[in-house]
């Protein structure tokens, strides 16, 4: 499932995100969502989240739903 719709992204999910510095390469980072930073219901580049380790990026893929 992709991470463009806010209703699909929830705290505690395992996701792949693209960090700001990795946007050109498309390299993803896996982690667990700590909180959602995007307020709108949809974002074409992915909902922006903060992971439990503090990294911030846009969700590319939802890996595991709880």
């Amino acid at each position: 499932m992709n991470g463009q719709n806010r209703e699909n992204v929830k705290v505690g999910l395992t996701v792949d995100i693209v960090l700001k510095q990795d946007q050109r390469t498309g390299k993803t980072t896996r982690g667990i969502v700590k909180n959602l930073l995007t307020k709108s219901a949809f974002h074409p580049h992915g909902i922006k989240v903060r992971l439990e380790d503090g990294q911030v990026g846009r969700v590319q893929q939802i890996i595991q739903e709880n």
Side-chain angles (χ1 to χ4, degrees):
M1 188 182 310
N2 73 22
Q4 294 179 323
N5 291 313
R6 192 174 197 275
E7 65 185 20
N8 296 336
V9 181
K10 307 251 187 302
V11 173
L13 293 182
T14 301
V15 296
D16 282 343
I17 66 168
V18 173
L19 302 173
K20 183 77 171 176
Q21 65 266 27
D22 295 331
Q23 283 177 348
R24 289 179 184 266
T25 64
K27 176 181 171 277
T28 59
T29 303
R30 187 161 293 182
I32 298 171
V33 177
K34 181 177 181 182
N35 48 18
L36 282 66
L37 304 176
T38 299
K39 299 294 183 213
S40 63
F42 175 84
H43 194 286
H45 299 124
I47 299 299
K48 189 179 279 188
V49 298
R50 178 175 290 115
L51 300 180
E52 287 187 342
D53 63 5
Q55 297 184 94
V56 173
R58 295 197 180 273
V59 176
Q60 298 301 298
Q61 190 80 21
I62 298 172
I63 304 304
Q64 175 193 354
E65 297 200 33
N66 293 351

